[in-house]
Amino acid sequence: MTFDYKVADLGLAEFGRKEIRLAEHEMPGLMAMRAQYGESKPLAGARIMGSLHMTIQTAVLIETLVALGAEVRWVSCNIFSTQDHAAAAVVVGSGTADAPAGVPVFAWKGETLEEYWWCTEQALTWPGGDGPNMILDDGGDATMLVHKGTEFEKAGAVPDPSTADSEEYGVVLKLLTRTLAESPNKWTTIGQGIKGVTEETTTGVHRLYEMHKAGALLFPAINVNDSVTKSKFDNKYGCRHSLIDGINRATDVLIGGKVAVVCGYGDVGKGCAESLRGQGARVIVTEIDPICALQAAMDGYQVTTVDDVVGIADIFVTTTGNKDVITADHMAAMKHQAIVGNIGHFDNEIDMAGLYKVPGIERVNIKPQVDEFRFPDGHTIIVLSEGRLLNLGNATGHPSFVMSNSFTNQVLAQIELFVKTAEYPTGVYVLPKHLDEMVARLHLDALGVKLTELTKEQSAYLGVPIEGPYKAEAYRY
Ligand code: NAI
């Protein structure tokens, strides 16, 4: 069997395979999916294009989708997040480096923006002319490319890269200019073949709801992020683990005793603040939402604005999914060697474009994904992963156990949309609560958790079935 792929080095496959083997033990939800659906193969006939950080944990997800019958092509959803040994192992599969027998992956650590979007296009372009019929997205870039391409093709308009409001969007417009010339109906055809998308993260879900509100959504979507067993676990406990992992690997600065500012106190911010406090930092939170600000205050954090503390803090972390949260002016006013990093999905939370434009600014690369920026007055700041999510750029992202929860939701969502397509008219949906509870249940034994069972009388008293679901839809956990 031959297939197209592009990764850094297939020689890393053996190392990747060993880590995948260890990860499988830590991912009981995914392994339960294999045991439950491995024979019936509900994803037979599914052609899944995945755009999600190509890590060891994602390798276990990909191989689970394949075990359930799917054909898969994969890219990373970030230029820095690929683990090259994971990508190699997925490509090699049960074959060898000379005769790979796995899954086509187009991803390596340290892609340029042009390479990143080229990879996305490759994974969306199925050999033989068929497109994918499912997308598994993280942040919505693959979904966006199909929608933007369709929009330009329908309008018969040639994109003008010079009108782009960011370097990255300019790259997308250049790509679409080329595909329009080469294959004028490429994206419309791909869009029409897609049964649905399952979206992993807050930012991607936000984009989906916006498209649906504007009447532009082309196919149904399942919002995996808002499964409780995703956002209340991965976003919170995952970041609690991987934020400080990223800061430590990047800088090895002692966090204890430092002043750390966490911008945003949503699910990600809560995990980040807790981990920094756990290391002994004095944590300050910024928020725009009075409810989250009040939560932060009651959790014992000082809540104020970036402007108020910009000159006294040692570490700044953005977790908002918003843009321009830390500006070039903020960075100019920071202490010498302040550390600045982002853990939200896109790189515009920190105004990197503005930083590069500061007159006289000098960039000194310390090591991959760690840069010092020297201002004309001599003081410097340390920027992690060029403002892209630091837990995946400077470390290895979330650990397997928490990703098993997220990815079990992904598998269930893919099955749901692929098998029950007719039940999901175009719109954005969340998985039903009984499946959310099932995902949690699959992870209890591994932690030695013993559940209490409702008695018949208690069940009748509360009006809650013994087997669940246990909470009303409005319950917030
Ligand atoms: P969320 O919506 O729960 O929290 C974001 C918080 O930021 C909100 O409370 C909001 O009020 C606040 N905020 C917005 N603008 C602000 C501003 N200018 N200043 C201060 N606070 C502001 O979202 P969640 O789930 O915490 O996700 C945040 C980001 O992290 C998203 O981009 C998401 O996609 C990404 N994410 C990254 C992960 C990673 O591994 N790096 C994992 C999960 C999510």
Side-chain angles (χ1 to χ4, degrees), residues 5-17 19-20 53-56 59 76 78-92 105-111 369 392 395-396:
Y5 62 85
K6 191 165 163 62
V7 299
D9 178 5
L10 286 189
L12 298 171
E14 198 185 327
F15 171 35
R17 182 55 51 191
E19 288 214 335
I20 289 170
H53 312 289
M54 184 54 257
T55 63
I56 290 292
S76 217
N78 183 281
I79 59 172
F80 292 137
S81 63
T82 297
Q83 292 163 16
D84 289 324
H85 63 319
V90 169
V91 170
V92 167
V105 174
F106 302 84
W108 56 96
K109 192 174 180 80
E111 297 158 1
Q369 287 83 55
L392 283 136
T396 51

Side-chain angles (χ1 to χ4, degrees), residues 201-203 235 266-268 287-288 319 321-322 343-345 391 398:
T201 198
T202 315
T203 286
N235 303 25
D267 292 320
V268 170
E287 251 299 343
I288 53 155
T319 79
N322 202 346
I343 196 166
H345 193 79
N391 60 330
H398 297 353

Side-chain angles (χ1 to χ4, degrees), residues 432-446:
K433 195 167 283 294
H434 73 272
L435 292 181
D436 219 348
E437 290 178 355
M438 183 186 94
V439 172
R441 223 181 260 283
L442 290 173
H443 292 86
L444 297 181
D445 277 355

